[in-house]
Amino acid sequence: MRKENYDTTIKEKIIKTGDIELCTESFGCETHPSILLIAGATVSMLYWDAEFCQKLSDKGFFVIRYDNRDVGKSTFYDPGTTPYDIVDLTNDAISILDGYKIKKAHFVGLSLGGLISQISSIKYPDRVKTLTLLSTGPWGDSDPSIPEMDNRILEFHNKSGTVDWTNENAVLNHLIEGAALMSGRKGTDIKRAEKLIRAEFKRARNYISMFNHATLQGGEEYYNRLNEIEQPTLIIHGTDDLIWHFKNTEALLAKIKGSKLIPLERTGHELHREDWDVIIDGIAKHLND
């Protein structure tokens, strides 16, 4: 696809749907094919680094990242309450397309965002052009032999009750430990992780509301229907992922016909800087095939 010169300013836009506000940012030319980036649980749109988004946009795409409910600058609820389910988050993704007057987009979802993308492709097949699923698993029953979330992750989460979530440095020290668990054998970029944690802490309307994602439910009516997915699907997954074990790729490949895999060797549950070129080039090829 031919690269064009255009304004590279990041543009913020608030999408309103009923009483919900969703904060979005876009990169690139609106006339180019659209990519919707859907982040995982508890993290805001900032997880999709601005440089990553710009590099993806430079491949000839209009790229949108956004805050799910309860993170960043989007609508939030009191901690301990989750008056929405995963289908509501799926509907939010479509509302963003409506807000930008986009008929059809390429969905790129990471972790929880990958589950939302799968449900979107089933519920709204006319709005989803392709799927790219990063560091996620199937919305449905998986092989019981696939390992569950690593105990080290569970032990880390169990410490969250001892953290003063109003204290930026306390939050930083805790989440840096989490970042190290996520980063596989490629190692943690401490400076980049610290910058992200501090930025999310300062930017959030109500930081601790992110934990509402932990009790997210719903979507049973779309469970075990991955055989209905018709969109071309690319799976990208780190071999050292402690949250969604790499063997989940086998389940996705078996359930989504025609799906393809790009393994990221030694990568954990993350968007590691060393993998950006492989991920971006893989997505661009997938979308242009």
Side-chain angles (χ1 to χ4, degrees):
M1 186 177 290
R2 183 167 60 91
K3 181 179 172 182
E4 301 176 17
N5 294 320
Y6 49 82
D7 181 9
T8 58
T9 304
I10 303 173
K11 304 175 185 68
E12 181 178 291
K13 183 174 183 176
I14 302 296
I15 304 297
K16 295 184 179 181
T17 172
D19 59 352
I20 305 301
E21 292 187 351
L22 301 168
C23 183
T24 76
E25 290 181 348
S26 62
F27 302 75
C29 178
E30 292 186 21
T31 62
H32 287 170
S34 300
I35 293 176
L36 185 66
L37 300 176
I38 310 177
T42 76
V43 297
S44 75
M45 69 165 78
L46 299 185
Y47 195 84
W48 303 103
D49 192 287
E51 184 184 352
F52 175 92
C53 296
Q54 190 60 58
K55 285 177 174 289
L56 186 56
S57 172
D58 287 345
K59 293 289 186 179
F61 301 103
F62 179 58
V63 177
I64 301 168
R65 64 179 184 175
Y66 71 98
D67 295 325
N68 277 310
R69 301 187 199 190
D70 274 325
V71 294
K73 295 165 68 175
S74 289
T75 290
F76 68 90
Y77 304 90
D78 291 337
T81 65
T82 311
Y84 57 89
D85 63 16
I86 195 170
V87 179
D88 291 316
L89 296 185
T90 300
N91 296 338
D92 288 348
I94 301 303
S95 294
I96 289 169
L97 300 190
D98 293 341
Y100 278 90
K101 296 181 170 56
I102 295 169
K103 292 183 178 179
K104 205 167 193 176
H106 301 280
F107 277 47
V108 177
L110 188 148
S111 197
L112 170 63
L115 302 179
I116 293 170
S117 297
Q118 292 169 53
I119 296 172
S120 297
S121 68
I122 298 167
K123 185 176 184 184
Y124 299 102
D126 294 337
R127 307 301 298 276
V128 181
K129 192 166 185 179
T130 68
L131 285 180
T132 301
L133 306 176
L134 290 88
S135 306
T136 194
W139 186 248
D141 296 325
S142 193
D143 186 332
S145 69
I146 296 176
E148 298 286 341
M149 187 183 298
D150 192 279
N151 282 334
R152 285 169 287 177
I153 299 293
L154 299 176
E155 290 169 3
F156 167 74
H157 286 314
N158 287 338
K159 298 178 185 178
S160 63
T162 66
V163 177
D164 179 0
W165 291 97
T166 66
N167 183 297
E168 182 177 338
N169 287 326
V171 169
L172 174 66
N173 291 336
H174 179 67
L175 293 185
I176 282 290
E177 180 185 344
L181 283 174
M182 301 290 188
S183 62
R185 285 175 288 163
K186 285 185 174 168
T188 311
D189 185 335
I190 297 295
K191 288 184 179 179
R192 182 176 291 276
E194 178 175 347
K195 181 181 178 183
L196 172 61
I197 293 164
R198 290 193 185 279
E200 289 208 316
F201 183 88
K202 290 180 170 69
R203 180 173 172 274
R205 293 173 64 186
N206 194 45
Y207 188 65
I208 200 170
S209 289
M210 65 179 175
F211 291 115
N212 289 340
H213 289 175
T215 57
L216 191 65
Q217 297 183 357
E220 293 84 359
E221 63 268 43
Y222 301 101
Y223 213 64
N224 286 328
R225 292 174 56 184
L226 298 191
N227 63 310
E228 298 177 29
I229 293 178
E230 299 287 345
Q231 295 88 344
T233 300
L234 174 65
I235 300 158
I236 304 176
H237 207 115
T239 60
D240 286 14
D241 193 327
L242 298 183
I243 292 183
W244 285 101
H245 193 280
F246 183 72
K247 283 192 174 182
N248 280 288
T249 61
E250 298 174 7
L252 288 168
L253 289 166
K255 293 173 184 289
I256 303 176
K257 49 185 171 290
S259 54
K260 299 177 181 179
L261 171 67
I262 296 177
L264 303 175
E265 298 294 335
R266 299 168 51 246
T267 296
H269 191 79
E270 59 186 328
L271 199 64
H272 201 290
R273 181 66 180 81
E274 291 181 22
D275 295 322
W276 283 8
D277 288 345
V278 171
I279 294 170
I280 290 168
D281 289 346
I283 291 173
K285 183 178 185 301
H286 174 55
L287 272 52
N288 288 323
D289 279 349

